[in-house]
Amino acid sequence: MAEHTPTPSVVLEHPERIPGYDYGTERAASSPLTLEDLERLKAAVSLTADDEQALREAAEVLADQADDMVTAWRARLGRQPWLGGYSGHPDGSPNPEYSAASKPRFDRWIIDACTRPLDQRWLDYQHEIGLRHTAAKKNQTDHADSLDQIPLRYVLAFTAVIVTSARQYLGARGASPAQVDRMHAAFTRSVMLHVTVWTRAYVDNGRW
Amino acid sequence: MAEHTPTPSVVLEHPERIPGYDYGTERAASSPLTLEDLERLKAAVSLTADDEQALREAAEVLADQADDMVTAWRARLGRQPWLGGYSGHPDGSPNPEYSAASKPRFDRWIIDACTRPLDQRWLDYQHEIGLRHTAAKKNQTDHADSLDQIPLRYVLAFTAVIVTSARQYLGARGASPAQVDRMHAAFTRSVMLHVTVWTRAYVDNGRW
């Protein structure tokens, strides 16, 4: 991160102004999951009340780094030419308008993953995010010219980059090693919870 | 880990003697993935040559702890009664024979995840593991009386427990904090690579 680009204040303070960010609105999908399903998934990732507190603390550390994180993740994706058609035009050539349109939502996801209560609104918007990775809804929000789904394997595999790279950002504001460990474990659990719920959009209920 | 149960030597030294452990044999499934698919997934999780070296070092740290790790993971699963039917009998009651039969393979997976070359044999056995979580092959290896698949959402969600809990084991043998970080990141990438490949058994190729 030679050049530091602070996270834009609209992402942090007025996410409702981000185009296509439909958290808590009627434009978001309705999740097929129940709140009981969610409780079971929280138990499965082992997300505790202390983790939720650690996530609130992580949000303060990550807030002005979220834009940098997404920039770095995308740079890494950009070095894998076979992925180009998912974020670029179908032929893999860059699609700067699409990238610019989706970035504030990606930035905001980092903050949401640390701060949003795990409730019906959360379930609904996570399902919306899942659908936006599949042929059901990809490209619609931004009217983008791009391939019509991101294969599930790349969504899952890239999770490794998100959770491993998060550690350096969590440690970049002077937290003790023990506190970095605590925030990093909580963030990992939260990310896996999110990604797991997104996969519902890819998989028939009988197998999911 | 009040009581320390060393990993049995057969797991470490003679895995070919573990019943049902079909790594590198003709009994393992044939993976539908190509070696090029695998190279792309390695890039997607960002697994580098240095990570592969860090995994070899992690294997030395984890070797005599693998059995403890699986014991601890299963204890956590055991506190989620709605999961009981996947490892126990279909009604959720314990199935000690099935648990005992599958444990050496689970222990060995930890070692394999740190040491096995990522080649065709690796692809084939990972697909076999994936199938053994689904209705295609669950219970067959051990002739077990148990539910016939583990829903994908729990396989994915539990990955968070595997990768977060691994940190304490990686740090339990005196490695420096920087070395624990290095081994933990590599282990996380390896686990996500494995789990991603397992999901192929759940998902039609067009979406996967």
Side-chain angles (χ1 to χ4, degrees), chain A:
Chain A
M1 270 49 67
E3 295 181 38
H4 176 66
T5 309
T7 306
S9 65
V10 68
V11 168
L12 299 175
E13 292 162 25
H14 294 288
E16 74 282 0
R17 297 182 193 165
I18 299 171
Y21 178 77
D22 293 335
Y23 205 114
T25 75
E26 294 185 353
R27 293 184 300 280
S30 294
S31 174
L33 307 191
T34 67
L35 292 169
E36 183 181 34
D37 293 331
L38 175 55
E39 286 304 309
R40 291 179 174 193
L41 289 172
K42 282 173 63 178
V45 299
S46 196
L47 190 82
T48 66
D50 184 68
D51 288 316
E52 296 194 69
Q53 177 57 37
L55 286 165
R56 302 297 180 270
E57 295 160 25
E60 294 179 28
V61 173
L62 299 181
D64 78 341
Q65 302 186 84
D67 196 66
D68 280 347
M69 293 168 76
V70 174
T71 299
W73 293 340
R74 288 183 160 183
R76 199 180 289 251
L77 293 169
R79 292 194 288 274
Q80 299 171 63
W82 53 87
L83 302 181
Y86 308 125
S87 56
H89 292 288
D91 66 1
S93 63
N95 186 336
E97 296 77 12
Y98 183 28
S99 297
S102 58
K103 194 175 193 197
R105 297 194 300 273
F106 202 169
D107 293 359
R108 180 66 208 187
W109 171 73
I110 297 169
I111 308 303
D112 282 348
C114 296
T115 58
R116 289 286 190 179
L118 298 173
D119 57 13
Q120 188 66 48
R121 287 155 43 107
W122 181 89
L123 274 179
D124 289 342
Y125 195 61
Q126 300 319 311
H127 190 55
E128 177 72 24
I129 292 176
L131 292 169
R132 291 182 185 185
H133 286 73
T134 73
K137 283 204 171 180
K138 187 168 178 290
N139 303 334
Q140 290 183 16
T141 304
D142 303 310
H143 308 288
D145 172 50
S146 190
L147 291 180
D148 77 348
Q149 70 168 355
I150 303 176
L152 179 61
R153 64 188 183 278
Y154 291 124
V155 176
L156 294 175
F158 194 65
T159 305
V161 172
I162 291 177
V163 303
T164 56
S165 69
R167 190 169 182 88
Q168 70 181 92
Y169 297 100
L170 291 166
R173 294 293 184 267
S176 70
Q179 171 67 349
V180 174
D181 279 356
R182 178 171 166 264
M183 293 189 293
H184 188 220
F187 187 75
T188 300
R189 293 180 186 118
S190 177
V191 170
M192 285 312 304
L193 179 66
H194 283 77
V195 173
T196 297
V197 170
W198 296 347
T199 66
R200 177 63 183 81
Y202 286 87
V203 183
D204 294 337
N205 193 40
R207 294 181 174 186
W208 189 81

